[in-house]
Amino acid sequence: MALILIVDDQNTNRQIYAQIARRIEDGTDVVTCSGPYDALKWLDKNDPDLILTDFNMPGMHGDDFIGQIRSNARFADVPIIVVTVFEDRNLRLRALDAGATDLLISPVDHREFVARARNLLKMHRQSQVLSNRASSLLESLKKSESILAWTQRENESRLVNVINTLPVMVSATDVDGCFLFMNSNKANYLGLKAEEVVGRSCTEVLGKQVGERSITIDQLVIASGSGLRSFEEEIVSADGVRKIFLTTKCPLIEGERVIGVVTSSQDITDRKAAETHLHHMAHHDALTGLANRSLLRDRVDREIGRCRRGDGRFAVHLIDLDGFKQVNDVHGHATGDELLARVGEQLRNVANPNDLVARLGGDEFAILQTNVKSDEHVEQMGRAITNAMPDAIGAVDLSTSVTASIGIAVHPEDGNTFEKLLRNADQAMYRTKAANGNGFCLYAANLDARAAEERLVDEALRSALEERRFELLYQPQMDLKTGEICGCEALLRMRAEDGRLVPPSEFLARAERNGMIMPINEWVIYEACRQGAEWHAMGLDDFTIGVNLSPVQFQRQSVPLLVARILAETGMPAHCLDLELTESIVLHDREQVAIQLRQLRDLGVKISIDDYGTGCSSLSYVKHFPVDRLKIDQSFVRDMIKNPSDTAIVRATINLGHSLGLEVIAEGVEDKDVAKALLLEHCDRAQGYYFSRPAPAYEFEKAMRLQSNRGNQMFGRLQEPA
């Protein structure tokens, strides 16, 4: 019989929740309290099986209340459901951080409440049974000589029986990576016989790729003599089922000597599915299923990062329904909701696969249009939205007139932040409204200034080409397993007439539009190959030099012929050249791009997909195109310690790359914690300011010569010039 505590300062809510709670199972006993202090006093003498509490109550916030409950060891595992009317993501995260088990948004759906509570009670009881069993076993072990017997390897069968009862996968390996033990849970999941794996290596039992990763992590445990922080990993069962496990590795100690590593893995697939569901709720509109403002901001920020390298433009289309208030007033909110859903559906049909459709709130929508090729391309989308609105509005029986006003802002011309782009799109939208709506308007307050600025950039580019004022800096790429420099990326800079070093974000986008990217990129490839051939002739170890290619270059000339000529002229070994392509390149003409990539591979050149994850991330081209490496975009890597979503994206990209036999490189590594996390996720290479800023050729050469006796302090010598 379950005992449920309900805490809410509203009497009506307490009565409703109590009635619902009694339906969970027969004999349920419900106690209600009007506030946190009454509840804490009641908890001094009682042990509930489940607690349901409001978040916003007088006298004490929900997270403080939950924290006080969790501070008592008696209630460490008692499920706590938090009910809140707020949709603020920070409030939900506060509740979860304080120790809440689940969240419900008020008004509460009765069936959802009963189902979630029933599942939590079931899990709590199972946890209690397992805990009692573990305590009993531990007490029994303490009172007997089984621990000593196991240490002396005289009574292994008893320990095996104990470990085999645990609902986790457990194994032990020696310092050479050979199995000492595997419990039946893990053996059954992997389709093995536990007694047959003893003495065999991890690579033989688990496969070369998985086994080598496991041995690499085990060596960190053996070297440090202490356990690693628990990490998540995907493990595939014998029948191909993929599940997510929380894995812990601890040293196996005999006397004072580490003789191996004990690995335990707990299945958390269901928990991860719940987290994914919560993440979706936090980033999508409940009525339309579209992205919300938070997700739109995130995508716009990522597009801004992608475009800093000059890789195209994007536009934000802001759509507002004129006359929507009258719909709610005349027909009611149900009809208004139907209209919003129809509009959202129609906007999905208008948008391209790589675009994002969002509802910002009320009757306001937005479309993030990516891979913009020209202003005409933007206007085509504006016309398509305008023409699609009558169908969506006409599908709802209305007696009032409704039209749509659209405002458009284009990056980078109309703003380089989410707030500025949205603000300028909003101004353009109100111009449309002033012109009687039912149309679109581009933000064009500074057309003359924009044209003048572009003329200045054009002149600076022509002058830099004529006077040879372009320079290459080199940023090292590190092998995360060995800590050695294994390559570098050549990064373009332009030296202004005043001596200032101009980053590519200030000129590449314009160079692609005016065509000057062709001679610039040809110079970059030639200079990188010339420098690489010079280093190779000096006897420096083989390492790859990454060079970025422009989509324009693939569209206007034969890249394989250009590369073959430059390799022949410079003497650069083909296998040391790594051509980096952004995802947008392979989307223009897939068949033609595939032909050119195969020709490049025939030359011996390496191919990498740069900024992976910021574009369409199509698995089809990664699988079928001749690609050697994936480079994870820095926007995912930089915050992966703090942001679970970024961690999941990084892990998925690494697993995808390795499953396809590709090497994976992480960009934007700026601190030690991120570097360590990438190693635990089995990432192959990394680059970023933590290792080194982009440096001149002579500084990189010095670092390579000091490779044999360098430490992290060496990276301080590599500095980007002013």
Side-chain angles (χ1 to χ4, degrees):
M1 183 176 70
L3 175 60
I4 298 177
L5 172 63
I6 295 174
V7 186
D8 197 300
D9 60 313
Q10 299 294 324
N11 183 51
T12 302
N13 288 345
R14 293 198 301 274
Q15 293 178 0
I16 292 174
Y17 296 152
Q19 291 177 3
I20 300 173
R22 292 188 179 95
R23 302 178 196 167
I24 295 173
E25 59 185 28
D26 294 335
T28 298
D29 190 10
V30 179
V31 175
T32 63
C33 292
S34 60
Y37 295 103
D38 291 340
L40 291 172
K41 185 176 181 181
W42 182 85
L43 287 169
D44 286 339
K45 299 180 180 180
N46 297 276
D47 296 298
D49 299 297
L50 176 71
I51 299 173
L52 176 76
T53 178
D54 186 19
F55 186 86
N56 192 26
M57 293 180 290
M60 186 183 299
H61 286 297
D63 49 351
D64 294 330
F65 176 48
I66 296 168
Q68 290 200 32
I69 295 175
R70 291 301 189 207
S71 65
N72 191 325
R74 286 166 48 214
F75 309 122
D77 297 319
V78 174
I80 301 176
I81 300 176
V82 175
V83 179
T84 178
V85 297
F86 296 98
E87 296 188 5
D88 188 301
R89 179 170 180 265
N90 288 329
L91 290 181
R92 293 196 296 272
L93 291 177
R94 282 171 54 192
L96 291 171
D97 288 340
T101 312
D102 206 348
L103 299 170
L104 289 174
I105 303 299
S106 181
V108 175
D109 182 275
H110 294 190
R111 288 179 296 175
E112 182 182 11
F113 178 13
V114 171
R116 292 196 183 194
R118 186 177 292 141
N119 289 336
L120 288 174
L121 282 171
K122 182 178 179 181
M123 292 171 62
H124 179 54
R125 287 166 179 161
Q126 290 175 343
S127 176
Q128 287 180 319
V129 170
L130 291 174
S131 177
N132 292 337
R133 182 187 299 174
S135 298
S136 176
L137 288 171
L138 181 60
E139 189 64 24
S140 176
L141 287 170
K142 286 180 179 178
K143 294 178 181 178
S144 68
E145 295 182 353
S146 58
I147 295 178
L148 177 61
W150 175 78
T151 305
Q152 298 172 342
R153 303 176 186 274
E154 295 177 354
N155 198 7
E156 291 184 357
S157 60
R158 289 187 184 180
L159 182 63
V160 169
N161 290 335
V162 170
I163 296 178
N164 283 335
T165 64
L166 300 176
V168 294
M169 302 197 307
V170 182
S171 63
T173 53
D174 63 18
V175 292
D176 296 320
C178 295
F179 280 101
L180 299 171
F181 169 79
M182 180 182 291
N183 76 339
S184 58
N185 194 327
K186 185 168 185 175
N188 293 338
Y189 184 78
L190 298 176
L192 303 169
K193 292 184 178 180
E195 63 274 10
E196 294 180 358
V197 305
V198 176
R200 295 166 61 190
S201 69
C202 288
T203 53
E204 181 185 357
V205 174
L206 305 177
K208 185 175 185 297
Q209 190 176 57
V210 176
E212 287 181 350
R213 291 182 207 155
S214 180
I215 291 173
T216 299
I217 301 175
D218 287 353
Q219 291 303 315
L220 295 176
V221 176
I222 294 169
S224 65
S226 59
L228 294 179
R229 185 183 65 181
S230 298
F231 59 93
E232 297 175 7
E233 63 175 342
E234 185 181 73
I235 303 177
V236 184
S237 70
D239 52 4
V241 176
R242 295 178 178 271
K243 291 188 176 183
I244 301 174
F245 290 82
L246 185 66
T247 296
T248 302
K249 288 181 177 286
C250 298
L252 180 62
I253 298 175
E254 186 175 71
E256 297 182 356
R257 185 168 59 94
V258 177
I259 63 170
V261 177
V262 177
T263 303
S264 63
S265 301
Q266 182 179 8
D267 185 359
I268 59 170
T269 306
D270 292 340
R271 191 187 84 185
K272 296 300 294 183
E275 290 177 358
T276 301
H277 176 67
L278 286 173
H279 181 269
H280 184 273
M281 290 175 59
H283 290 85
H284 290 80
D285 174 54
L287 175 63
T288 62
L290 299 175
N292 61 14
R293 181 183 291 265
S294 174
L295 182 54
L296 176 66
R297 176 191 294 272
D298 184 62
R299 275 292 305 275
V300 168
D301 288 343
R302 295 192 192 284
E303 284 296 311
I304 291 172
R306 182 176 67 85
C307 291
R308 284 197 186 102
R309 295 182 50 175
D311 189 16
R313 304 152 71 204
F314 68 88
V316 176
H317 299 252
L318 191 62
I319 303 108
D320 188 80
L321 300 182
D322 304 321
F324 179 75
K325 184 177 184 300
Q326 286 76 11
V327 174
N328 279 338
D329 293 343
V330 175
H331 298 279
H333 288 278
T335 302
D337 288 348
E338 181 185 357
L339 175 59
L340 294 173
R342 295 278 188 180
V343 169
E345 182 179 354
Q346 197 68 16
L347 291 176
R348 275 198 189 99
N349 296 334
V350 170
N352 295 313
N354 300 328
D355 300 339
L356 180 72
V357 183
R359 181 186 175 209
L360 305 185
D363 61 341
E364 197 170 52
F365 296 83
I367 293 182
L368 169 62
Q369 181 187 10
T370 61
N371 297 320
V372 168
K373 299 178 178 63
S374 63
D375 289 343
E376 175 60 27
H377 189 198
V378 177
E379 293 177 9
Q380 287 174 0
M381 174 64 80
R383 282 191 290 271
I385 298 171
T386 302
N387 295 335
M389 286 300 96
D391 290 338
I393 296 168
V396 183
D397 186 15
L398 301 174
S399 61
T400 59
S401 173
V402 178
T403 59
S405 293
I406 305 162
I408 307 171
V410 181
H411 176 276
E413 298 93 322
D414 300 331
N416 55 8
T417 66
F418 173 77
E419 290 78 10
K420 190 169 183 179
L421 285 168
L422 213 61
R423 183 169 63 250
N424 290 341
D426 189 64
Q427 290 183 24
M429 182 263 291
Y430 275 101
R431 290 181 191 171
T432 306
K433 286 182 179 290
N436 297 322
N438 197 29
F440 67 91
C441 177
L442 277 76
Y443 179 79
N446 59 343
L447 283 179
D448 293 339
R450 186 188 305 172
E453 182 180 348
E454 289 181 345
R455 284 194 296 272
L456 289 175
V457 175
D458 291 347
E459 293 172 3
L461 288 171
R462 277 191 290 270
S463 174
L465 278 170
E466 293 171 357
E467 300 173 10
R468 300 180 180 274
R469 284 191 278 104
F470 285 106
E471 301 178 14
L472 287 186
L473 302 181
Y474 299 87
Q475 185 171 41
Q477 294 173 344
M478 311 303 297
D479 186 317
L480 287 173
K481 292 181 181 178
T482 65
E484 295 182 347
I485 300 174
C486 55
C488 63
E489 180 179 2
L491 299 171
L492 177 65
R493 300 291 187 268
M494 181 175 71
R495 183 71 67 176
E497 292 183 349
D498 61 2
R500 181 174 63 93
L501 205 57
V502 182
S505 59
E506 296 186 21
F507 61 83
L508 266 190
R510 182 57 187 167
E512 289 196 335
R513 293 200 293 275
N514 64 22
M516 278 190 271
I517 191 65
M518 302 291 288
I520 292 174
N521 230 15
E522 183 172 340
W523 178 86
V524 170
I525 299 173
Y526 185 92
E527 176 60 19
C529 288
R530 184 202 62 78
Q531 183 64 71
E534 182 178 314
W535 285 331
H536 188 73
M538 292 178 181
L540 296 179
D541 294 338
D542 279 350
F543 57 89
T544 57
I545 299 180
V547 177
N548 295 285
L549 290 182
S550 165
V552 177
Q553 201 163 19
F554 262 83
Q555 296 167 23
R556 298 186 183 180
Q557 72 177 135
S558 172
V559 176
L561 286 177
L562 172 66
V563 172
R565 175 176 62 80
I566 291 176
L567 290 175
E569 291 177 0
T570 61
M572 171 76 162
H575 69 276
C576 294
L577 178 60
D578 181 12
L579 296 180
E580 300 185 6
L581 291 68
T582 58
E583 297 179 12
S584 58
I585 290 179
V586 297
L587 296 178
H588 287 101
D589 185 345
R590 294 194 179 193
E591 184 176 348
Q592 184 59 34
V593 169
I595 292 173
Q596 294 201 53
L597 291 182
R598 282 192 287 270
Q599 292 172 342
L600 288 168
R601 282 289 294 274
D602 290 342
L603 292 174
V605 173
K606 304 292 185 183
I607 305 294
S608 296
I609 298 294
D610 197 12
D611 299 337
Y612 185 79
T614 59
C616 72
S617 302
S618 170
L619 300 182
S620 62
Y621 72 73
V622 175
K623 180 178 180 181
H624 297 295
F625 284 1
V627 176
D628 299 285
R629 298 184 177 97
L630 295 181
K631 296 191 72 176
I632 308 174
D633 185 67
Q634 61 181 338
S635 61
F636 302 113
V637 175
R638 188 182 298 112
D639 297 325
M640 65 176 291
I641 299 296
K642 303 175 184 177
N643 190 329
S645 299
D646 287 345
T647 303
I649 292 172
V650 170
R651 179 181 300 117
T653 304
I654 293 172
N655 290 336
L656 167 67
H658 289 163
S659 67
L660 297 175
L662 307 179
E663 195 172 40
V664 181
I665 305 175
E667 299 181 291
V669 179
E670 296 184 355
D671 58 59
K672 182 178 180 180
D673 290 340
V674 172
K676 185 176 180 181
L678 287 168
L679 177 60
L680 291 177
E681 296 293 347
H682 317 303
C683 187
D684 303 301
R685 296 186 178 190
Q687 68 182 85
Y689 285 4
Y690 170 63
F691 303 110
S692 169
R693 290 177 175 270
Y698 69 88
E699 288 282 3
F700 182 77
E701 178 184 326
K702 184 191 299 183
M704 287 297 297
R705 292 186 180 279
L706 294 174
Q707 176 93 283
S708 60
N709 60 351
R710 63 114 172 93
N712 282 346
Q713 66 272 17
M714 179 203 68
F715 300 121
R717 301 190 181 100
L718 299 178
Q719 297 296 329
E720 183 171 1

